[in-house]
Amino acid sequence: MEEAKFSKSGVPYMHFGSGQPLVLIHGLGEVKEGWHNQFELADQFELIIPDLRGHGECTKTEGITIQNFAADVIGLLKELEIENAHILGLSMGGAVAQEIYRQEPSLVRSLVLISTFHYFPKKLKRILFENRKAKFESLSSSDSQIEHLAHMALYSWNQGIMENFSHIFRPKHQIFIDSLKTCLEVNNLSLLPKIKVPTLIIGSQYDSVLPVWIQACMHKLIPHSKFIIMRNSGHLAKLEVKNRFNSLIRNFLTQQNNAA
């Protein structure tokens, strides 16, 4: 396991590999180590893997917003003197990736948006998030919270996958709630049609957290985007079907590098 470094502004991150820079942005309640199945991509790409504000080893707990998550990653890339990078985000991390493009489009070589979202109508917010927030708060222990969320996020409930989930999903109660609230505020309906970089959108067949039709709507809004549905996977294809997932990422990014 690579040791974490810290940016001048206090962002913990891992940085290794060689090739075109690739930023991996985790989802709500996750930590940077949750990308361990993707570390093998370092043979082809320079990986930059941060903990978002309030998550993992990051001690910043104020200002939990999608805008600040993105600004932290942008600041890290500028500190590392990276002119542009492939930006890959999962779930909430996908919203952060979109916000990075909004704030600094010149930093973005391509976008990979996985099991993510761009907007929630008011009625859908209640169905997808507010009920889940209440359920999360009602559970008495962190173990029961993780078990509940694992059964919601995963399609494969075998012991190995469940153990993997418990290692990468480490929600801090108030940060989790604050992050959930900022997800509800995302509205990228006007941003997506303006995206001009190559974009791959990945949904998962059995994703009950962010159903695949949400990513289908994103595909319709982003010009010339590619859309792929991962079969036999829940919300975390990076865990459940890692070989297919990694191959998909490699193929897409290699195409972009060859086209450059």
Side-chain angles (χ1 to χ4, degrees):
M1 181 75 73
E2 293 288 326
E3 290 189 9
K5 305 175 176 69
F6 288 83
S7 73
K8 293 175 182 176
S9 61
V11 175
Y13 67 101
M14 291 183 286
H15 186 198
F16 58 100
S18 60
Q20 290 289 341
L22 169 60
V23 182
L24 305 178
I25 306 175
H26 65 73
L28 171 63
E30 282 193 88
V31 295
K32 60 186 179 301
E33 290 80 9
W35 293 107
H36 65 276
N37 282 343
Q38 285 66 53
F39 287 178
E40 67 183 56
L41 298 174
D43 67 353
Q44 192 174 354
F45 302 97
E46 177 186 356
L47 300 183
I48 301 102
I49 312 176
D51 275 327
L52 295 178
R53 185 178 297 213
H55 291 71
E57 295 180 274
C58 187
T59 57
K60 287 184 180 180
T61 57
E62 301 296 321
I64 301 297
T65 67
I66 297 294
Q67 292 80 6
N68 284 340
F69 290 153
D72 288 343
V73 177
I74 290 168
L76 171 61
L77 292 178
K78 290 185 174 180
E79 182 178 323
L80 295 175
E81 299 183 344
I82 291 173
E83 293 184 3
N84 54 46
H86 302 292
I87 308 293
L88 182 155
L90 167 69
S91 195
M92 183 178 76
V96 176
Q98 294 166 65
E99 182 62 26
I100 290 171
Y101 185 86
R102 184 199 306 278
Q103 293 184 22
E104 291 279 350
S106 63
L107 269 178
V108 181
R109 179 179 289 264
S110 72
L111 284 168
V112 183
L113 306 174
I114 305 162
S115 298
T116 189
F117 59 94
H118 63 301
Y119 168 72
F120 294 105
K122 187 175 291 186
K123 290 181 180 179
L124 196 57
K125 291 178 185 180
R126 179 177 58 82
I127 295 169
L128 286 179
F129 282 98
E130 291 174 6
N131 292 344
R132 291 170 184 177
K133 172 189 170 186
K135 178 65 176 177
F136 180 80
E137 291 182 321
S138 72
L139 297 170
S140 58
S141 70
S142 60
D143 286 345
S144 61
Q145 289 170 347
I146 290 171
E147 183 177 358
H148 166 71
L149 290 163
H151 281 89
M152 188 169 66
L154 299 171
Y155 172 66
S156 309
W157 295 350
N158 67 61
Q159 185 176 356
I161 295 290
M162 293 289 280
E163 287 178 358
N164 256 330
F165 183 87
S166 68
H167 288 306
I168 73 168
F169 192 80
R170 304 176 198 168
K172 302 172 186 176
H173 188 87
Q174 193 56 49
I175 299 297
F176 185 90
I177 300 303
D178 291 347
S179 298
L180 200 55
K181 288 177 181 176
T182 192
C183 288
L184 297 178
E185 297 167 2
V186 169
N187 185 344
N188 290 336
L189 289 173
S190 62
L191 172 68
L192 298 195
K194 299 174 184 175
I195 291 177
K196 297 179 180 178
V197 298
T199 302
L200 173 64
I201 301 168
I202 300 174
S204 287
Q205 182 180 11
Y206 297 114
D207 190 341
S208 62
V209 178
L210 292 167
V212 72
W213 61 262
I214 297 175
Q215 294 93 55
C217 291
M218 297 176 68
H219 169 53
K220 290 181 179 179
L221 286 170
I222 300 177
H224 311 297
S225 58
K226 295 183 178 181
F227 177 44
I228 293 176
I229 299 174
M230 300 293 285
R231 303 293 180 185
N232 299 317
S233 175
H235 189 57
L236 297 175
K238 66 175 183 177
L239 282 185
E240 297 188 274
V241 288
K242 67 173 186 176
N243 291 334
R244 278 192 283 138
F245 180 89
N246 290 352
S247 178
L248 183 59
I249 299 305
R250 279 189 193 277
N251 290 342
F252 175 73
L253 297 182
T254 299
Q255 288 173 7
Q256 308 321 311
N257 290 343
N258 290 341

